[in-house]
């Protein structure tokens, strides 16, 4: 009897699927804000009407060249990511092979991971000026740390059986690294890659916003400094949507590389 | 040489090599004068900052903004986590949005916070709350979802009230996720406040940093960055120690339970709860 009741409860489907309910909830929230702004309950100088912010997405392309902004940010992120991989793969492998160095540096890496590394940007601004090099370095620094940590952990997780099999068939150190270690540690390395990509993107957009150079971050700063309230909200919506899409794509890719 | 001694020497040599490199580069003439000050100048600048009452005023403002914002963000996050963790339908409804917004660069929301809360310390507190909210809510929600169902059944079996369920079952079971979330949250809150202060402020360490950078006082910039890193590392270290202490306490309590409660009795209690 109890089992029958439990299975009935389990099989009971909600009236509205949660994903749809979430969308309806979001729409209701936006409608409430729209009403509050139109009725002057919330001042228009503080919050833009959601309808204006969404409609502005079309005109934002003409006013601030969203596509160009995206391409600039994307290019900076891609260059920083390549540099991160070039540094983190050998360094992570080195830390995996040398336990003494791993023990010496792991605490420092963890502390740096939590530290506000973006504060270093005024120093790089002084050295390299308001240039793309500053953006790339500021994307590289916060991204490379989690990548090194994950690469090292990935190598630690490689089964000793695989390494022993490699040894028994006489693979060279180079073959061992590329044919055994890297493929076996790939899932963990990809987790590090995803983390690094998110940190790199966030920091590049942050510096673009603060220094008013580059791509997506600059567009938000530009609209705000012009006191274009509706344009600011539109730019924020656009940048948030792009980074959400970006994160979603990375998540999908990770699930493909690392099926659970 | 044993491992601990080797680790010590590696750390010491790394610090010496880095300082040597810095000193060498600063004297090499590769950079414009003042761009890369000598290590001694930076040490002097740190001493100068520590002797300046203005530094403590700015430090106080930053800590106030961070702590008020962090506490507000943490309370809101815990309430959200409690709802999301205990109600699967609402979790499926709202969590995707929290995850999506959590992955965006929060700095782009600064203009909205400036418009709503003004340019004073309130907007920095709001930024700290916003930055702290996401890691805490996600970590605690995941902690609640992962509570072994048997614990919840035991609680219900003993007819615990909602408050007792919260304090006796949920909170002890999510201590680790909560502390991990708080650790991430405080780091994010500090970063959030500093970025807001750099963007627009007239007090606080972020403001002090960008003011000195604009005035080309590079030694002071290095000094402030080193001091901010030290403050942030100290807070981080304190939370890690707290986490370790709680974990030890938890382990010793579990060990005491094992000694005090006969295994058969424990098994009986859990099975009777499962049956009810």
């Amino acid at each position: 009897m109890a089992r029958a009741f439990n299975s009935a409860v389990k099989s009971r489907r909600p009236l509205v699927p949660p994903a749809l309910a979430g969308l309806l909830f979001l729409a209701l929230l936006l409608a409430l804000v729209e009403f509050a702004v139109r009725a002057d309950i919330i001042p228009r100088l503080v919050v833009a009407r959601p309808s204006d912010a969404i409609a502005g997405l079309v005109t934002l392309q003409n006013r601030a060249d969203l596509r160009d902004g995206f391409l600039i940010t994307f290019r900076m992120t891609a260059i920083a990511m390549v540099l991160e991989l070039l540094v983190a793969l050998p360094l992570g492998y080195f830390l995996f092979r040398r336990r003494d160095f791993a023990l010496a540096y792991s605490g420092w890496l963890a502390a740096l991971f939590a530290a506000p590394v973006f504060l270093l940007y005024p120093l790089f601004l002084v050295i390299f000026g308001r240039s793309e090099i500053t953006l790339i370095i500021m994307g590289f620094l916060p991204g490379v740390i989690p990548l090194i940590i994950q690469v090292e952990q990935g190598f630690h997780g490689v089964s000793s059986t695989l390494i022993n099999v490699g040894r028994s068939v006489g693979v060279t150190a180079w073959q061992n690294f590329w044919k055994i270690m890297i493929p076996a540690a790939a899932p963990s390395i990809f987790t590090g890659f995803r983390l690094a990509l998110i940190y790199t993107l966030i920091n590049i957009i942050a510096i673009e916003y603060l220094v008013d150079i580059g791509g997506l971050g600059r567009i938000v700063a530009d609209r705000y400094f012009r006191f274009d309230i509706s344009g600011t909200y539109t730019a924020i919506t656009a940048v948030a949507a792009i980074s959400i899409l970006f994160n979603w794509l990375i998540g999908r890719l990770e699930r493909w590389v690392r099926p659970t | 040489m044993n491992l601990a001694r080797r680790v010590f020497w590696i750390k010491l040599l790394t610090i010496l090599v880095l300082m040597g490199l810095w000193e060498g580069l600063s004297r090499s003439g590769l950079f414009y004068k003042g761009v890369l000050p000598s290590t001694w100048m930076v040490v002097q600048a740190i001493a100068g900052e520590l002797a300046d009452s203005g530094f403590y005023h700015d430090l106080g403002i930053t800590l106030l903004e961070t702590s008020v914002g962090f506490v507000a963000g943490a309370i809101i996050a815990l309430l959200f986590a409690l709802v999301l963790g205990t109600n699967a339908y609402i979790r499926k409804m709202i969590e995707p949005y929290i995850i999506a917004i959590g992955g965006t660069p929060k700095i782009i929301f600064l203009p909205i916070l400036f418009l709503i809360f003004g340019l004073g310390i309130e907007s920095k507190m709001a930024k700290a709350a916003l930055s702290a909210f996401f890691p805490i809510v996600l970590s605690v929600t995941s902690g609640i979802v992962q509570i072994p169902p048997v614990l919840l059944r035991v609680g219900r079996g003993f007819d615990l009230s909602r408050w007792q369920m919260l304090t006796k079952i949920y909170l002890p079971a999510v201590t680790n996720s909560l502390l991990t979330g708080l650790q991430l949250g405080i780091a994010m809150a500090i970063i959030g406040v500093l970025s807001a202060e750099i963007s627009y402020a007239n007090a606080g360490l972020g403001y002090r940093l960008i003011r000195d950078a604009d005035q080309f006082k590079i030694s002071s910039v290095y000094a402030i960055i080193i001091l901010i890193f030290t403050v942030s590392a100290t807070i981080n270290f304190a939370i890690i120690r707290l986490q370790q202490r709680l974990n030890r306490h938890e382990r010793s309590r579990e060990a005491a339970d094992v000694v005090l409660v006969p295994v058969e009795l424990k098994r009986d209690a859990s099975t009777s709860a499962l049956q009810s």
Side-chain angles (χ1 to χ4, degrees), chain A residues 16 100 104-105 121 236 243 247, chain B residues 6 11 14 89 103-104 108 198:
Chain A
V16 183
D100 45 359
Y105 294 152
Y121 87 87
I236 292 168
S243 50
N247 288 340
Chain B
R6 233 177 24 237
K11 282 184 175 178
T14 307
Y89 185 80
T104 59
I108 59 167
I198 286 174

Side-chain angles (χ1 to χ4, degrees), chain A residues 100-183:
Chain A
D100 45 359
F101 278 88
L103 284 172
Y105 294 152
S106 60
W108 290 358
L109 285 172
L112 272 175
F113 187 40
V117 180
F118 85 98
L119 291 178
L120 296 171
Y121 87 87
L123 302 173
F124 291 105
L125 268 185
V126 171
I127 298 171
F128 300 107
R130 292 173 77 248
S131 68
E132 292 190 343
I133 299 176
T134 305
L135 284 178
I136 292 167
I137 293 175
M138 288 318 301
F140 167 83
L141 287 176
V144 75
I145 300 162
L147 192 53
I148 294 172
I149 296 171
Q150 282 295 129
V151 168
E152 193 214 343
Q153 282 178 3
F155 286 139
H156 270 296
V158 176
S159 152
S160 54
T161 313
L162 283 178
I163 300 170
N164 289 337
V165 168
R167 271 199 205 121
S168 68
V169 293
V171 295
T172 61
W174 186 249
Q175 284 172 325
N176 175 53
F177 181 74
W178 284 110
K179 306 277 183 191
I180 295 174
M181 299 303 288
I182 291 279

Side-chain angles (χ1 to χ4, degrees), chain A residues 14 16-18 21-23 25-26 45-46 99-101 103-105 108 112 114-123 126-127 198-199 202 205-206 209-210 220 224 227 229 232-233 236 239-240 243-244 247, chain B residues 3 6-7 10-11 14-15 31 35-36 89 92-94 97 100-101 103-105 107-112 114-116 119 187-188 190-191 194-195 198-199 209-210 213 216 218 221-222 225 228-229 232 236:
Chain A
V16 183
L23 273 175
F25 180 69
L26 182 68
L45 282 176
V46 173
R99 189 169 141 73
D100 45 359
F101 278 88
L103 284 172
Y105 294 152
W108 290 358
L112 272 175
V117 180
F118 85 98
L119 291 178
L120 296 171
Y121 87 87
L123 302 173
V126 171
I127 298 171
I198 291 169
Y199 278 89
I202 285 179
I205 291 178
Y209 173 85
L210 289 171
V220 177
Y224 176 58
F227 215 66
I229 304 297
T232 305
Y233 276 86
I236 292 168
V239 176
S243 50
I244 288 169
N247 288 340
Chain B
L3 187 64
R6 233 177 24 237
V7 169
I10 289 170
K11 282 184 175 178
T14 307
I15 292 171
F31 297 97
V35 166
L36 204 63
Y89 185 80
K92 283 179 193 160
M93 194 177 129
I94 294 176
Y97 295 97
I101 300 170
T104 59
I107 201 162
I108 59 167
F109 300 109
L110 258 184
I112 297 179
F114 283 152
L115 287 168
I116 295 174
L119 297 169
M188 292 296 137
I190 294 172
I191 292 175
L194 291 169
S195 62
I198 286 174
S199 183
L209 174 82
I210 208 67
F216 209 68
I218 304 301
V221 174
Y222 277 99
I225 290 173
I228 290 174
F229 274 33
S232 130
N236 204 25

